[in-house]
Amino acid sequence: MQQLPDLSTLSSTQMGALVLELWAVVQTLTAQNNELQARLNLNSRNSSKPPSSDGLNKPQPKSLRKAGQRPVGGQKGHKGHTLSQVAEPNVVVTHAPPEHCDVCHGSLGQASVVEARQVHDLPDLRYQVIEHRVLQWICNCGKTHRGAFPADVTTAVQYGPRAKAAAVHLNQYQMLPLKRTGQVMGDLFDMPMSEATILSANAEAAQVLAPTVAAIAQELVNQPIVHADETGLRVNKSLHWLHALVTEKLTWLGRHEKRGMTAFVEHGLLPLFKGTLVHDGWASYRRLGGRHSLCNAHHVRELTYVHEQLKQDWAGRSIKVLLSANSLIHQLRAQGQIDYAAPEHQLQVQVLRGLFEATLVEGDLLNPREQANGQRGRIKQSKAANLIGRLRDYSDDVWRFMTDPNVPFTNNVAEQAVRMPKVKQKISGCFRTSDGADIYCIIRSYLATLNKQGAKLFDALTQAFQGAPVQPRFG
């Protein structure tokens, strides 16, 4: 460590130079400390970090909705699920009074129903065994005539379509690990299954459903608006990537070793898409054709960081402008009173964008961009400066939700699609093989799509094992 010089021997000029040098070191160390402290303060509320990364130090929940925006309880139009009596019960148990009065001891005669109460419960869930027997006859002429087993009865002992559908549903959609899936099958149905049996059922389901999932992928390519996202996937201790393309009614998931353009090309979907792609602003999506729309939920989180951690008020005003615009467009769409080409609407957009740009100008003053100093390569900028540049450079994509029908404010539907695979990894660990990950993507794509369309997933899987999978609705 360099020793401090004897200050008594320094001239005023040397003393001034030393002070400037020490001040520069203080400034550098302060900036480094602020950056490290800012990293520690990153969480799911003010960055793209997932909630699972918050650990035990979770941030205090803070809704961006205004107080009183929605009434307490179920919202208008929400379908309730209150337990109610049915008209035709399966079993009726009567509870009659005594045959004689306990006062006068006279006969009470015929009683009538005055009140009914119903108990909704499950029947005995123990499995049943169906035995298929083949008969044969020998004709008088000597020829033997023999019956035939159904095409799907191929071995001496096997599991039926409903049993395999239950196992696949629990393991692939409800995300139970293989061992626990076998245990649940034993606890609920007295039919414990081995891990190998469940894996075999998964592979069989994926083989049957692969053509349907391919049709889902092709339909997504032809949609006017599609959401895209990607997330890391652990496969045999290596980092792979789960890619998602979704709409409100369709979901497609695919695995690849790469995250960017190589994966896009080999999957063969995004390069063919010509509509509006909604995403989080990752650079590889920019290399694709068509129009783009950026997820403003990401922008709000990043602006929250600048506002709360860096104490810059312009970011708070930026959030208010974005949320006000989103509230306005929701209100207009709900009322059916929106004409995107009308001068009045275009004026509203211009006013809101003008207010937003004014906040960015204020942010420029507090976060000046670092200038090139002769070194090669890009100059590292602060997080706030990078955010301001992105919001300005891609302003049309930030405000696409205000100018394009059906383009949403966020990319939430895509983020929801990749959330459950992350949950599965936390419960069950990584995928052991790439084939296992591919099987999961096929089955999850199919079930997530049918779930969005209101189908009963267990019945759909049962029909798939019977060779006639339910097809999703397109168009």
Side-chain angles (χ1 to χ4, degrees), residues 144-161:
T144 300
H145 297 267
R146 182 186 177 102
F149 287 111
D152 58 343
V153 180
T154 57
T155 62
V157 180
Q158 67 185 64
Y159 290 103

Side-chain angles (χ1 to χ4, degrees), residues 4 10 21-22 30 49 101 122 150-151 157 194 200 215 306 314 316 322 329 347 377 424 447 452:
L4 183 68
L10 298 180
E21 182 181 352
L22 292 176
T30 300
K49 295 181 65 175
C101 177
L122 295 173
V157 180
S194 68
S200 177
V306 177
W314 69 268
L322 282 175
I329 205 71
L347 179 60
K424 179 176 175 61
L447 294 179
K452 288 179 177 180

Side-chain angles (χ1 to χ4, degrees), residues 90-297:
N90 302 98
V91 178
V92 175
V93 179
T94 59
H95 303 277
E99 295 181 355
H100 297 84
C101 177
D102 58 357
V103 176
C104 67
H105 304 291
S107 176
L108 296 177
Q110 184 67 35
S112 60
V113 177
V114 293
E115 184 181 1
R117 299 179 181 180
Q118 294 183 348
V119 177
H120 293 231
D121 204 352
L122 295 173
D124 183 5
L125 297 179
R126 191 181 188 282
Y127 71 94
Q128 64 177 7
V129 177
I130 301 174
E131 182 173 288
H132 295 264
R133 298 176 178 178
V134 169
L135 304 179
Q136 74 174 26
W137 296 267
I138 300 178
C139 181
N140 292 333
C141 69
K143 181 178 179 179
T144 300
H145 297 267
R146 182 186 177 102
F149 287 111
D152 58 343
V153 180
T154 57
T155 62
V157 180
Q158 67 185 64
Y159 290 103
R162 294 175 66 83
K164 290 187 284 189
V168 171
H169 194 296
L170 291 171
N171 177 241
Q172 296 288 290
Y173 194 75
Q174 301 301 334
M175 300 176 294
L176 290 183
L178 289 168
K179 183 177 181 180
R180 286 169 56 191
T181 299
Q183 292 173 341
V184 169
M185 292 293 293
D187 289 342
L188 293 183
F189 313 118
D190 198 21
M191 183 189 284
M193 282 188 179
S194 68
E195 294 184 15
T197 298
I198 300 169
L199 289 172
S200 177
N202 290 339
E204 182 181 349
Q207 183 178 8
V208 174
L209 297 175
T212 302
V213 174
I216 292 173
Q218 186 56 50
E219 182 67 19
L220 282 165
V221 170
N222 298 324
Q223 292 292 307
I225 300 171
V226 167
H227 298 250
D229 202 0
E230 76 293 326
T231 188
L233 198 69
R234 303 299 299 184
V235 179
N236 192 23
K237 300 181 181 180
S238 298
L239 177 61
H240 290 215
W241 292 91
L242 180 77
H243 295 264
L245 296 179
V246 301
T247 66
E248 293 289 345
K249 296 295 182 182
L250 302 172
T251 295
W252 175 87
L253 302 175
R255 176 205 60 86
H256 200 276
E257 292 85 354
K258 302 294 183 179
R259 183 185 183 188
M261 187 57 66
T262 300
F264 298 165
V265 171
E266 293 187 11
H267 282 313
L269 300 178
L270 281 176
L272 302 177
F273 178 68
K274 302 304 179 185
T276 300
L277 187 65
V278 185
H279 55 86
D280 57 10
W282 187 48
S284 290
Y285 292 123
R286 285 282 165 198
R287 298 169 59 190
L288 299 166
R291 294 195 299 177
H292 299 264
S293 177
L294 295 180
C295 175
N296 282 300

